[in-house]
Structures are given as structure tokens and as C-alpha cells.
Amino acid sequence: MKKRLTIVSMLVLFTMLLAACASATPTPAASTTAPEAQPTTEATTEATKKPITIALVYGIQGDAFYITMEKGAREKAEELGVTLIADGPSKWDPSVQTPIVDAMIAKKVDGLINVPNDPQAMIAPLQRAFDAGIPVVTTDQYIGDGNYTDGTVTFPLSVIASDNFEGGKIACEALIKSIGGKGKIYILTSTANVPSDIARRDGCIAAIDANEGVSLAGVDYTESSAPTATTQTQAMLQKEPDLAAIFGANLFSAQGAAAAVKSAGLAGVIKIASFDAPEQAIVDLRNNVIDMVIAQQPALIGATAVQYIYDALTGNTADIQKKVNTPFVIITRDNVDTPEAQAAIYKSE
Ligand code: T6T
């Protein structure tokens, strides 16, 4: 009897213990609600995720270099699921570009990519964007002295551009080689206040200075107008009948120079290097009018800029560099049909 009682009391105790355990186990209960809570949290994040709009204010309308930059930016924007809006001035002029930047600020875009038309005049408009909480990246050109780490202007996230001094040097070293290390070289570049083109001019002059047998015939500023470049080249051909080579330091400068050389019947006699790779430069290369094309990578520049703005907006700042130099693709008659050269040719629409 005593043994039965002990067994019964042990059973009661065990049952009480079980009951106590059941009422004092919040952990399993909490863990069963957690998976249900997860979709709710995700749904909330999705619902509150604001669509991202990035603006690209490029250098000038109708320039294959910027058309290609916009294409690269658009492709990257699509890949990242963000909206890209693009606009640019009809002429290279900060007073025309400024209202376009201001309109983007008024639209409350989330990020701004700009090819500043002037390194000083575009500081204030871009500062207004930054002050409105819009991250800014400059492409192809810079503002201030271009040193966004500890230079005169540091608010832009990054400057993404070619190493223009190096490009000018490469172009003119190749020209010097092609003229046998002797002769006069003429430089045509866009304007004196476009840092990229000035750096190309200076890179070319450095190459000329390093070679005793060559000299600088002169520098002219084309205002990015091919007809102006043609007229200037014709005047130079009159002045220097023994001119050996021309460096066209941007698309329109090279295009105008090539037209003048062609119409003077000097194709193949005067060597030409074209900075920039529009389709016409490739036609001129194949026809022996141009001897070397230095293709920048505008699509890569545009894509990298969109990625940087997106990274900044989504808190991934670790990979953002204050300065990025995109590489060149050098196109000659020997490699023009390679996939790499073909891919580097700019798009005109
Ligand atoms: O050469 C490019 C660009 O890099 C430069 O800053 C301005 O001219 C171009 O757009 C070509 O026309």
C-alpha cells in the first residue's frame, strides 16, 4: 500500500513538473512566432523602399562620347533596378549647364552625376546639390583642382575619368615614332578651361619635350567644333608646309583635322592621332587618314558612376574611391577588327 502511494505521489509530482514546465517555456512559443514575423518585416521593407532616381548631366548634347557614357549608365541603372534621367547643355557652357543641374535638384533626384562644363563655375551648383543631400560624382571632368581627398573641393564622392595626361603622352609618343622621331607636331584641343583636354595637350607636349628631333608647331582651341578645327588646320598647313603630325585631343578636333588633311590631299603624309573613337575616326583609320585612335571608355565611366551613387545610397561606401582612372583601348589598323577594339568604338545613338 505504502509502495502504491509512493508511485502515485511520484506520478502526481511528475505531472505537476510537466505542467510547470509547459507554462514556463516562453522560448519555444517565441521561436514559433519568429518565422511568421520575418515575412512581415520583409514586406514592410519592400513597401517602404523608395525608388531611386539618379540624374546624369553630361557635357554636351550630340557628342558620341556622352551618348556612349549615357548608354553605360543606363545599362547599369537597369541592372540595379534604379531610374536614370539624363540631360545636358546644347553648348559647352556652365551658364547653360547650371539650370539643368538646378532642375535636377528641384526634381529631388537621389544622386547626381555631372560632367562639369567648368571646374570653377560648376562648384556652386554642385554644392547646392550636395547641400540638398544629393550625393555627387563627376565624370570625365572635375571641379576645383580635382583632388577630392584634400584639395580645394572635397564634397564629391569621386571623379571617374581617363588618365588624360597619360593618354596625350601615349598619343604623341606614337606619333613621334611614326614620323621617325623628326618633325613638327600640331595640337588641336577643345578649350582652355576643359581640364581633361588640357591634360592631353600637356601630355603631348611632355612627349615632344622629351624628344630632341621634334618640335611643337602650335596649339589651337577648337571649341569642340569640327568645322573650326578644319579651318585652323588649313591655316596651319599654309603656315607650316612641312608639318609632320597632328594630335587631335578630342573627338571634334581630330575629326576637323582629318577633314582638312584629306581635302589637302595629304592623307598618309601627315600622321594623325585621334583622341576619342567615334565611328568616323574608325573609317578614317581604315582609309589611312588617321593612324591611331585612343578610345576612352565612356560606357564604363557612366556605369561606374551609377554604381558609386547606388553604393552611397545603400550604405556600401567601402569600395568607393575618390578618383578612378579608366583605361584606354588603343586602336590601330593592326587591331581594329579585334573584339576589344570593336567594343571600344563609341555609339552615335
Ligand atoms: O574627349 C571627350 C571628352 O573626354 C572631353 O572632355 C570633351 O570632348 C569629348 O567629349 C569628345 O568630344
Side-chain angles (χ1 to χ4, degrees):
M1 174 74 177
K2 197 176 170 203
K3 198 174 174 189
R4 250 201 359 240
L5 263 177
T6 317
I7 290 169
V8 169
S9 49
M10 273 176 74
L11 271 172
V12 170
L13 232 164
F14 185 59
T15 315
M16 279 169 66
L17 252 170
L18 268 183
C21 278
S23 64
T25 37
T27 320
S31 71
T32 50
T33 54
E36 280 163 27
Q38 222 171 340
T40 317
T41 316
E42 273 171 19
T44 314
T45 318
E46 275 308 313
T48 53
K49 216 196 252 173
K50 192 180 158 279
I52 292 175
T53 299
I54 298 173
L56 165 64
V57 178
Y58 48 75
I60 191 167
Q61 291 172 9
D63 180 335
F65 177 82
Y66 297 116
I67 292 169
T68 312
M69 182 186 288
E70 183 183 334
K71 272 188 178 297
R74 225 168 256 297
E75 271 165 30
K76 179 56 80 176
E78 264 167 37
E79 184 191 313
L80 297 171
V82 305
T83 303
L84 183 94
I85 50 175
D87 199 1
S90 53
K91 65 175 189 157
W92 191 277
D93 181 341
S95 72
V96 183
Q97 195 180 48
T98 295
I100 302 173
V101 167
D102 284 332
M104 295 301 184
I105 300 170
K107 275 188 187 142
K108 298 193 187 321
V109 295
D110 300 290
L112 175 66
I113 301 163
N114 178 230
V115 179
N117 272 191
D118 185 282
Q120 295 307 318
M122 291 311 293
I123 295 174
L126 295 185
Q127 179 80 54
R128 283 197 284 281
F130 179 73
D131 291 346
I134 301 170
V136 173
V137 167
T138 68
T139 52
D140 182 40
Q141 310 289 344
Y142 53 75
I143 51 172
D145 59 8
N147 175 358
Y148 297 162
T149 306
D150 48 19
T152 55
V153 176
T154 54
F155 68 81
L157 280 177
S158 183
V159 48
I160 305 165
S162 304
D163 184 339
N164 290 295
F165 183 89
E166 192 55 27
K169 198 157 155 266
I170 292 171
C172 289
E173 278 167 355
L175 279 180
I176 292 167
K177 202 169 163 215
S178 74
I179 59 175
K182 283 198 296 283
K184 293 175 188 161
I185 301 177
Y186 174 43
I187 302 175
L188 283 164
T189 193
S190 63
T191 64
N193 65 342
V194 174
S196 60
D197 297 24
I198 291 315
R200 294 169 203 166
R201 175 200 67 187
D202 293 346
C204 178
I205 291 173
I208 294 170
D209 287 348
N211 285 274
E212 266 185 14
V214 291
S215 62
L216 180 65
V219 178
D220 272 322
Y221 298 92
T222 66
E223 301 298 331
S224 272
S225 155
T228 302
T230 300
T231 310
Q232 289 165 329
T233 305
Q234 283 164 343
M236 181 53 74
L237 293 177
Q238 291 289 317
K239 190 172 154 233
E240 302 282 1
D242 60 342
L243 189 71
I246 303 175
F247 174 40
N250 88 329
L251 191 153
F252 301 104
S253 305
Q255 202 169 300
V261 166
K262 225 181 329 187
S263 69
L266 292 169
V269 177
I270 295 182
K271 304 291 174 194
I272 301 179
S274 166
F275 208 99
D276 288 316
E279 279 150 15
Q280 184 58 45
I282 303 303
V283 171
D284 286 338
L285 178 76
R286 289 190 193 279
N287 291 338
N288 285 313
V289 181
I290 284 177
D291 301 278
M292 180 192 199
V293 173
I294 297 106
Q296 305 187 71
Q297 298 206 53
L300 178 62
I301 293 174
T304 309
V306 169
Q307 183 70 56
Y308 269 23
I309 296 276
Y310 181 82
D311 287 348
L313 293 169
T314 53
N316 293 319
T317 50
D319 291 338
I320 296 179
Q321 296 163 39
K322 282 280 183 183
K323 183 178 185 174
V324 177
N325 277 152
T326 50
F328 301 108
V329 177
I330 309 291
I331 310 177
T332 61
R333 278 181 284 282
D334 291 339
N335 73 352
V336 64
D337 289 315
T338 62
E340 197 199 9
Q342 286 295 308
I345 299 169
Y346 301 174
K347 311 284 181 286
S348 51
E349 53 189 33

